[in-house]
Amino acid sequence: MSTFRAVVIDKNESGQSVGVRSFDEADLMDGDVTVRVSHSTLNYKDGLAITGKAPVVRRFPMIPGVDLAGVVEASSNPAFKPGDAVVLNGWGLGETHLGAYAEKVRVKGDWLIPLPQALSAEQAMAVGTAGYTAMLCLMALERHGLRPERGPAIVTGAVGGVGSVAVALLARAGWHVIASTGRPEEADYLKSLGAAEILDRSELAGPGRPLAKERWAAGIDTVGSTTLANLLSMTKYGGAIAACGLAGGMDLPATVAPFILRNVALLGVDSVMAPKALRMEAWSRIARELDHGKLAAMTTVIPLDRVLEAGRAIVEGRIKGRVVVEIA
Ligand code: NDP
């Protein structure tokens, strides 16, 4: 019997239990590529799975972890051969398919992309789903025709993972970035990533008016709820907000006024099922455009054993930037 180390979530009478234990390779799920995982990362969704705070996990036992970087060990998929360095983001890993907090995964080759040459496995996981989603948001704004000349761009949840990368990417693309945060003590950190202004998130938290003073042309929102409603009400004529998160709530107590009176657009961004061509484009842009020094400054590396406490910290909004989980 061949086993490997993994974080495993089991179901029991009192709910779920989670811990690091050995897992039998024979219990891996179907797939045409087996990958030896070297690094994973911590996303908000991983925190929800670990704490059981939201019903992210759809089968038990489950190995959480939505992102991985590693090396192909065996493959019957013609696109990959043993030794290839690969990256995987999403596709139900850690939700419906055994995930990345494990020394080994078996997955569909269609879910994998080659590790971009400019990035190490650790750097790719410092980016992770959070950073790749930030790039998908920037690309959505650009597809809408928005450019820095149109006015400032706001990022909410700016000290978090998606937010930190979004600030760095928007600043690199020439935007005047307004970083909204509940942690004003992190102002220097946000400015070092490229933020031009810091906005206290309490200014966006209360019930807003249908239309308020126009303040930004674009935005990347990770918070949802009243924050997103306020963002829309303060968006300049013809601007857009790319919405990818729900750290503040899943509801959207907004009116249609910004859409019908200011031609504002709300652009939904999903990373999990994004088509391969879009993934490849996002990753190649990240490899070119994300400053490696800034990426290192926003990243903490932890061993697999510490992922449970880190999972609790992320759902409580206590994580700064990105967390890489070292597996190998
Ligand atoms: P983090 O926990 O790293 O960041 C979230 C940030 O949101 C926090 O750091 C905090 O920022 C802010 N925040 C937390 N709670 C609240 C609150 N109650 N009200 C207002 N702001 C709050 O998570 P990630 O950056 O990894 O993910 C952010 C969101 O994006 C999550 O909801 C996640 O599920 C979603 N997501 C969606 C993806 C997709 O495919 N659509 C992919 C990846 C993530 P600060 O301290 O600066 O105020």
Side-chain angles (χ1 to χ4, degrees):
M1 185 177 82
S2 177
T3 62
F4 58 86
R5 272 177 90 234
V7 173
V8 184
I9 303 175
D10 288 296
K11 197 169 193 163
N12 52 35
E13 299 91 46
S14 56
Q16 68 174 47
S17 65
V18 55
V20 181
R21 66 167 167 88
S22 69
F23 198 87
D24 192 338
E25 198 171 331
D27 292 331
L28 280 175
M29 293 168 75
D30 285 349
D32 53 5
V33 183
T34 305
V35 179
R36 183 151 282 278
V37 183
S38 66
H39 299 82
S40 183
T41 178
L42 180 73
N43 288 289
Y44 192 81
K45 194 184 271 176
D46 300 315
L48 293 177
I50 286 169
T51 58
K53 208 178 154 207
V56 167
V57 176
R58 303 294 166 81
R59 59 95 74 185
F60 294 92
M62 175 50 75
I63 298 174
V66 309
D67 282 332
L68 68 89
V71 173
V72 172
E73 192 175 87
S75 170
S76 58
N77 184 309
F80 296 99
K81 60 179 189 319
D84 286 349
V86 290
V87 174
L88 191 157
N89 305 107
W91 291 119
L93 251 67
E95 300 177 67
T96 52
H97 195 96
L98 291 173
Y101 295 157
E103 289 169 332
K104 222 171 251 200
V105 297
R106 186 169 302 130
V107 295
K108 283 189 185 168
D110 290 349
W111 298 345
L112 296 167
I113 60 166
L115 175 72
Q117 277 188 353
L119 298 176
S120 67
E122 183 180 315
Q123 285 172 322
M125 287 299 97
V127 174
T129 285
Y132 143 73
T133 302
M135 177 53 90
L136 291 177
C137 288
L138 172 60
M139 287 161 59
L141 294 169
E142 290 174 351
R143 268 199 311 278
H144 195 70
L146 291 167
R147 297 289 177 270
E149 306 76 65
R150 295 281 294 276
I154 182 156
V155 175
T156 61
V159 175
V162 177
S164 292
V165 180
V167 168
L169 288 174
L170 284 164
R172 162 71 168 63
W175 289 86
H176 176 99
V177 181
I178 303 173
S180 163
T181 183
R183 290 183 266 183
E185 68 276 15
E186 298 295 351
D188 287 346
Y189 164 73
L190 291 168
K191 286 184 177 161
S192 76
L193 298 181
E197 285 180 56
I198 310 296
L199 181 70
D200 195 301
R201 80 183 193 198
S202 61
E203 286 194 41
L204 301 170
R209 286 180 288 149
L211 292 175
K213 183 170 179 269
E214 296 178 42
R215 295 176 75 174
W216 35 76
I220 295 181
D221 178 57
T222 71
V223 174
S225 193
T226 45
T227 299
L228 177 54
N230 280 311
L231 238 53
L232 291 166
S233 75
M234 297 177 192
T235 301
K236 287 174 184 279
Y237 192 94
I241 303 295
C244 70
L246 43 58
M250 205 175 192
D251 59 331
L252 180 54
T255 76
V256 297
F259 309 132
I260 63 174
L261 298 175
R262 286 193 184 152
N263 212 25
V264 166
L266 178 56
L267 311 173
V269 173
D270 163 65
S271 66
V272 179
M273 306 299 283
K276 196 159 187 170
L278 195 62
R279 281 170 196 267
M280 300 285 283
E281 188 189 346
W283 273 102
S284 85
R285 281 195 58 180
I286 284 165
R288 285 198 311 273
E289 296 174 30
L290 185 58
D291 181 283
H292 287 192
K294 287 182 180 174
L295 183 62
M298 67 175 87
T299 303
T300 311
V301 182
I302 62 168
L304 187 63
D305 295 326
R306 284 191 46 212
V307 82
L308 301 183
E309 65 183 83
R312 287 188 285 275
I314 201 166
V315 294
E316 289 163 13
R318 290 190 281 114
I319 292 286
K320 172 175 159 183
R322 301 282 303 120
V323 175
V324 169
V325 182
E326 219 165 32
I327 309 274

